[in-house]
Amino acid sequence: MGLTRLLNGHKTFDHGIYPIEHKELTAGKPIRRLPFADELIIPLQQHKGRASLPMVKVGQEVVRGEPIAVADQFVSVPMHAPATGIIRAISLTTTAEGPKAPAIILKVYHAASQQVLYGSEQDIEQMDAQAIIQAVQDAGLVGLGGGAFPSHVKLQPPPGCEIQTLLVNGCECEPYLTCDHRIMLEQTELLLRGIRIALRATGAQRAIIGVEDNKLDAVSHLRARIPAHLPITVEAVQTKYPQGAEKMLITALLGMEVPAGGLPAEIGVAVFNVGTLAQMGELVPQGRGLIERVVTVSGPAVKNPGNFLVPIGTPVRFLLDQVGLNGPLGQVILGGPMMGMAVASLDVPVTKSVSGVVALEPEDPTLARRQVYPCIKCGECLKACPVSLNPSMLGELAVAREYGVMAEQFNLDQCFECGCCAFVCPSNIPLTQYFRIAKSINRDAQRREAAKHH
């Protein structure tokens, strides 16, 4: 299959891997709305940057779509009530990352109609770029592909940078996930409206939608619906992991490289996920906030896998109850199996960044405890690394706890933890975990150093 795609000449990047896709479980399943859980848990930190600040009190009744937390400075977004109900608590709750964090607990009124009663229509054609950027922030929009970076910040490039090209990421290269695929097929008009809004805000001259060639139905569907006067094209790219990573997609579609440690804006590019732009197309014209998202629920342990419209704050336990399980549960991953996060508790909520919930059975081979052997210098990790690092050397330095050397001499910070190196390692060395720990230790050291000088 890989050879066929290579012969087709679809664009790609160097290195990468070809994991089994498992997308057939849900690719043909239309998006369906799920019922509301009894309680929704809305963490105040669901995005990169500063956490939101609550603007409601315990005991206060709220309607669906009403703001319940405000942005704290520029790199932050507000939160909105995903359902009509009453604020039961504002307290620390369990998170997928581990430490407890502040969240608003909303008790849902099941007797309410759950219509969105908040928002005021806005005429995009009458708004300048700054007004659109403010409206995107007011909507609480963040990257829905998993990055959760506030969308309004991306729309406003740093001084001296000018956006020429808007890249629309429809690759969805993680195994199991198909929510972006369904959005491209079912929310096409919203997606195109979102692209027009982003073009207007950034001043970009053109937009290119990149879609992996295992979704050629989406490619033809989008091409047939783009009006001729719009500067939007659709390109099929080779199905390969991690094709959907920002830097990889820029290389595949534009033949350009983002400078080490730099931003796409520095080479005139802004990259947005299709789910983010579809929500932008829906929410901004109505003056509404982000209160739900499409989530793929799949995996061997799931009885009825599918793509679902899920209110933000829905507990994972409730989600799995709705789809049913085939038997005992082994592990649950938020996101895809390559870069997603295994959760220790099913009581954690679906947040804005959760694109998938993958449930594995206890005997799944990926969960088997495997013996770790010494590095045999085979070089497979070097061939796989999409940013051309030396994972073998970085792994040896991690074992020796030379974390500073990893960053200073071997570009550790360029690693975006895609998992390719660990995937191909015949010695079962958990390289990605090593690098994640090393980066965390280095960040702590930098914070301590900065604190000394203040």
Side-chain angles (χ1 to χ4, degrees):
M1 189 175 283
L3 180 60
T4 308
R5 289 177 181 145
L6 198 59
L7 294 173
N8 285 343
H10 290 153
K11 297 177 176 181
T12 190
F13 60 97
D14 291 335
H15 307 301
I17 58 172
Y18 300 91
I20 299 171
E21 294 168 11
H22 297 295
K23 293 181 185 285
E24 69 286 348
L25 296 168
T26 55
K29 301 279 185 75
I31 299 165
R32 291 196 297 118
R33 182 177 291 283
L34 282 183
F36 290 84
D38 291 337
E39 283 192 345
L40 302 176
I41 304 160
I42 304 111
L44 296 169
Q45 183 79 65
Q46 297 188 35
H47 52 272
K48 298 289 192 293
R50 295 174 70 96
S52 312
L53 301 172
M55 56 183 290
V56 289
K57 294 186 172 70
V58 175
Q60 181 177 332
E61 292 185 325
V62 293
V63 295
R64 191 164 185 238
E66 180 179 344
I68 56 174
V70 295
D72 183 12
Q73 300 185 18
F74 182 62
V75 187
S76 182
V77 296
M79 300 291 168
H80 301 78
T84 296
I86 187 169
I87 305 299
R88 187 182 68 73
I90 301 172
S91 60
L92 295 176
T93 61
T94 306
T95 65
E97 290 78 17
K100 291 198 170 187
I104 296 171
I105 316 296
L106 175 63
K107 184 173 174 55
V108 176
Y109 286 165
H110 286 291
S113 69
Q114 297 302 347
Q115 286 179 284
V116 180
L117 301 171
Y118 203 93
S120 57
E121 290 192 11
Q122 306 178 93
D123 185 354
I124 300 299
E125 301 305 319
Q126 302 301 316
M127 298 168 71
D128 62 16
Q130 206 53 49
I132 291 174
I133 290 166
Q134 185 60 56
V136 170
Q137 182 176 21
D138 292 344
L141 270 171
V142 302
L144 300 183
F149 192 77
S151 301
H152 68 280
V153 180
K154 272 194 181 182
L155 290 173
Q156 187 167 310
C161 297
E162 188 178 318
I163 303 300
Q164 281 105 34
T165 304
L166 187 77
L167 283 195
V168 183
N169 189 346
C171 290
E172 197 167 45
C173 58
E174 277 269 10
Y176 289 106
L177 305 189
T178 57
C179 54
D180 287 352
H181 188 179
R182 297 311 309 179
I183 284 169
M184 289 186 282
L185 293 174
E186 298 180 52
Q187 300 181 2
T188 315
E189 292 310 312
L190 294 178
L191 171 59
L192 295 178
R193 191 188 303 157
I195 293 172
R196 291 202 303 273
I197 292 169
L199 284 170
R200 189 175 177 88
T202 58
Q205 302 302 304
R206 60 173 179 162
I208 305 171
I209 307 174
V211 185
E212 280 196 328
D213 58 11
N214 61 356
K215 295 179 272 290
L216 291 175
D217 57 339
V219 173
S220 56
H221 179 86
L222 289 168
R223 282 178 177 163
R225 283 157 181 78
I226 296 173
H229 67 278
L230 291 180
I232 304 172
T233 56
V234 185
E235 294 270 5
V237 292
Q238 191 185 137
T239 299
K240 180 167 67 169
Y241 180 84
Q243 187 74 261
E246 202 170 63
K247 291 183 179 180
M248 278 49 266
L249 190 59
I250 290 170
T251 299
L253 287 176
L254 303 175
M256 302 165 73
E257 282 199 20
V258 179
L263 298 169
E266 293 173 30
I267 56 170
V269 181
V271 186
F272 289 89
N273 170 265
V274 290
T276 309
L277 290 173
Q279 284 293 303
M280 195 179 292
E282 179 173 22
L283 301 175
V284 173
Q286 299 182 79
R288 291 180 173 175
L290 178 65
I291 56 174
E292 58 191 6
R293 63 154 300 149
V294 183
V295 178
T296 299
V297 185
S298 189
V302 175
K303 188 179 290 182
N304 300 301
N307 298 290
F308 304 100
L309 198 54
V310 179
I312 302 297
T314 301
V316 170
R317 187 184 302 280
F318 178 85
L319 204 52
L320 293 176
D321 285 344
Q322 295 301 307
V323 297
L325 297 174
N326 290 321
L329 199 54
Q331 197 173 76
V332 174
I333 299 165
L334 297 189
M338 293 300 296
M339 288 187 73
M341 185 176 295
V343 294
S345 166
L346 297 183
D347 297 319
V348 300
V350 168
T351 59
K352 295 180 181 183
S353 65
V354 175
S355 52
V357 175
V358 179
L360 305 176
E361 296 172 319
E363 65 274 13
D364 194 291
T366 58
L367 299 182
R369 190 177 293 277
R370 296 183 294 176
Q371 174 72 40
V372 175
Y373 296 98
C375 174
I376 58 171
K377 306 291 190 291
C378 65
E380 289 301 312
C381 57
L382 280 79
K383 292 179 195 170
C385 180
V387 289
S388 300
L389 298 179
N390 185 337
S392 171
M393 177 60 76
L394 284 166
E396 291 192 358
L397 288 168
V399 171
R401 301 187 181 183
E402 296 282 359
Y403 306 125
V405 175
M406 292 170 72
E408 292 157 20
Q409 296 180 31
F410 292 92
N411 302 301
L412 172 66
D413 293 334
Q414 293 306 302
C415 168
F416 59 95
E417 300 166 24
C418 67
C420 287
C421 54
F423 183 86
V424 299
C425 179
S427 295
N428 302 325
I429 301 170
L431 293 163
T432 312
Q433 286 90 323
Y434 286 179
F435 304 158
R436 200 169 282 155
I437 292 165
K439 287 160 80 173
S440 176
I441 289 170
N442 284 345
R443 280 194 298 270
D444 287 344
Q446 287 166 2
R447 278 194 287 267
R448 285 196 301 272
E449 195 61 34
K452 281 184 195 172
H453 293 92
H454 277 82

